Amino acid sequence: MRREETTKNRHFLADKRWFMPITIAGFIAGTILISSFIKTADYSILCSLAKTRSIAVEEYSASPVQLQAIIHYATSSIVPQQNFKEISVTFDVLKKRCPCNFLVFGLGYDSLMWTNLNPNGNTIFLEEDPKWVQSVLKDAPILQAHAVKYRTELKEADDLLIHYRSEPSCYPSKAYLRGNEKCRLALTRFPDEFYDTEWDLIMIDAPRGYFPEAPGRMAAIFSAAVMARNRKGSGVTHVFLHDVNRRVEKVFAEEFLCRKYLVKSEGRLWHFEIPPASNISSDDSAGFC
């Protein structure tokens, strides 16, 4: 999502470096094309393919951010951290659910893409590095991004699992996020929008999790599970977790997002569909899964 693997990208051949940016530009251009011809009663775009009630040819219209994204990716040789097949997993869901509330942990070279693949929706990015937020927003001020602070470090991962199993405020039936200082896995002191919005899609591709003092994604995974279980609206919450080849991401996903809710695996990406707790039996002794 961000600069975590930039050094690896330098080893790509020139033709491979250009494949992904051009493909992403094509994704966005396709989104604009569809939105130019499809009109629904509730003005949903892309997802209108499944529930169109009336179709009308409209004048071509692209938003400034869509045009900016096409130019950005068409002229960039920087390869996003996710590959084409991994991106397509989330894109397939966005086509059905947008416009929707889309929460993304991380801010980086693919942020313009995610914003444009959710036209008319609400896409928010959470980033641990304030300087990086300023740098990205300088070039793409239309993005909605917040700098946030995490309370965890990757080296604490095993201790955090022990803590969760002994701290009642972390239990599935009692877990909450805003102000939950007792549960060390709960994301606290985040922007109000983070707590007040019911998220339809959650992408976890940050914070950093590749050195001991990094925040790690333990709290992001736990908090995504809590938000999904507390969902009041209809349907499931789609959670996408990247870098599942790493031990901590895999262990915490299996503990909180649950293998039984895993619906697709592609490369280093897992896609979960988590139902609200009202639709499942609640037993703290069994944990989240």
Side-chain angles (χ1 to χ4, degrees):
M1 180 59 56
R2 45 197 310 272
R3 312 166 305 292
E4 188 165 325
E5 298 185 359
T6 300
T7 55
K8 295 181 181 179
N9 294 335
R10 294 174 183 169
H11 300 289
F12 278 59
L13 296 175
D15 56 342
K16 291 184 179 180
R17 288 206 313 267
W18 283 102
F19 174 77
M20 277 297 293
I22 292 174
T23 300
I24 292 171
F27 266 146
I28 298 166
T31 301
I32 296 173
L33 208 69
I34 293 174
S35 65
S36 300
F37 292 99
I38 303 298
K39 179 181 180 182
T40 65
D42 59 359
Y43 295 97
S44 295
I45 300 176
L46 291 179
C47 47
S48 59
L49 292 174
K51 56 180 181 181
T52 301
R53 288 190 290 270
S54 64
I55 302 177
V57 177
E58 298 181 338
E59 182 180 356
Y60 168 82
S61 177
S63 69
V65 70
Q66 288 173 326
L67 294 176
Q68 180 183 6
I70 290 177
I71 294 172
H72 171 78
Y73 290 111
T75 59
S76 174
S77 62
I78 297 175
V79 181
Q81 187 166 332
Q82 294 186 32
N83 63 37
F84 174 77
K85 290 184 178 180
E86 291 169 343
I87 291 172
S88 297
V89 173
T90 307
F91 180 54
D92 287 343
V93 177
L94 282 169
K95 286 189 293 184
K96 301 174 183 177
R97 293 295 297 267
C98 74
C100 63
N101 293 321
F102 186 14
L103 177 66
V104 183
F105 286 87
L107 179 70
Y109 301 118
D110 50 4
S111 296
L112 274 173
M113 174 192 68
W114 293 126
T115 295
N116 280 277
L117 294 182
N118 185 27
N120 292 347
N122 178 34
T123 305
I124 302 296
F125 301 91
L126 304 177
E127 168 60 39
E128 64 183 286
D129 186 348
K131 292 183 179 179
W132 179 243
V133 173
Q134 293 177 3
S135 176
V136 172
L137 293 185
K138 182 179 179 181
D139 295 328
I142 199 163
L143 294 177
Q144 299 183 68
H146 301 282
V148 296
K149 292 183 179 181
Y150 293 88
R151 300 190 288 163
T152 60
E153 291 187 347
L154 183 65
K155 61 187 178 183
E156 303 171 332
D158 293 335
D159 289 338
L160 287 169
L161 279 178
I162 296 173
H163 162 76
Y164 137 73
R165 291 167 181 151
S166 61
E167 172 53 55
S169 63
C170 294
Y171 292 172
S173 65
K174 301 177 182 178
Y176 63 98
L177 301 182
R178 193 191 326 239
N180 189 353
E181 302 291 343
K182 290 184 178 181
C183 180
R184 292 162 56 196
L185 281 169
L187 292 176
T188 60
R189 304 177 189 178
F190 270 41
D192 288 339
E193 186 175 17
F194 172 75
Y195 305 107
D196 296 337
T197 305
E198 188 162 272
W199 302 104
D200 303 303
L201 278 73
I202 301 175
M203 169 74 72
I204 305 174
D205 207 354
R208 292 172 295 172
Y210 57 96
F211 60 95
E213 291 74 27
R217 300 178 186 173
M218 302 82 67
I221 293 171
F222 171 85
S223 297
V226 172
M227 290 189 288
R229 289 174 60 89
N230 291 340
R231 182 180 181 86
K232 300 297 189 293
S234 61
V236 299
T237 301
H238 296 267
V239 179
F240 306 89
L241 175 63
H242 198 227
D243 294 320
V244 294
N245 57 305
R246 302 193 300 211
R247 186 186 75 87
V248 169
E249 277 81 355
K250 185 176 181 180
V251 168
F252 274 72
E254 292 177 338
E255 182 71 37
F256 299 111
L257 302 180
C258 310
R259 277 276 184 178
K260 63 184 177 182
Y261 301 137
L262 178 63
V263 295
K264 190 159 188 176
S265 173
E266 184 63 63
R268 294 179 294 152
L269 184 83
W270 280 355
H271 170 204
F272 300 85
E273 293 183 358
I274 304 178
S278 58
N279 292 351
I280 56 180
S281 59
S282 179
D283 182 3
D284 286 338
S285 63
F288 279 73
C289 301

